[in-house]
Amino acid sequence: MRITGGDWNGRVFDAPEGMVTRPTSDLVRGAIFNTLKPMVEKWKDVVVLDGFAGSGALAFEALSRGAYQAYFVESDQRAFQVLQRNVSLFDVKNKVTLKRTDLLHLTFTKREDNPFNLVFLDPPYEYPAAKVKRLLSFLVESRVLARKALIVYEHSIDTKPELPDRFTLLKQNEYGSTMVSYIRFEGRI
């Protein structure tokens, strides 16, 4: 796998073996960041939550473009080990937090100073849309989302996103069997 843009454009990094994490292809990642370009005013102000991190590709793409911080959450042990190696490879330990757990079981510390304003959710395709809705509600209840936070949800084209109140579907792009939904959180509690 390689980074598709920014300061690390073209840099190669590791991905977990097998299909447990189904890494986002370079082509789809590039398309995601082209779509995000007009939506993100200043990359230097972006605080990323990568909720199903796998190799960390999506958050590393954001860091390559100048994101301020990234918070990686991954439950699979093998994927987490690859993620740790990639953090060392990119030498960004001072800009990242790594958590090996399921996102729904995470206890967040207060994030009032640095709420997440960009969230990547790339769960396994069999992950139910209702559970993603519950995850979004959990992030609101945890008070970790910035007002107007963007959520990039990668899922099967057969999955129809279910959104809690105060979330708006902005657009969707289809790439073969993959759909990417861009969602905006409309406020804070």
Side-chain angles (χ1 to χ4, degrees), residues 95-113:
K95 295 186 83 165
V96 305
T97 300
L98 299 170
K99 296 289 182 180
R100 185 176 166 260
T101 187
D102 182 290
L103 186 55
L104 273 172
H105 298 127
L106 191 60
T107 302
F108 289 100
T109 56
K110 281 191 166 187
R111 299 206 56 85
E112 291 160 356
D113 294 336

Side-chain angles (χ1 to χ4, degrees), residues 46-67:
V46 171
V47 180
V48 177
L49 170 61
D50 195 343
F52 296 83
S55 66
L58 290 166
F60 286 126
E61 289 281 358
L63 288 167
S64 178
R65 287 159 173 81

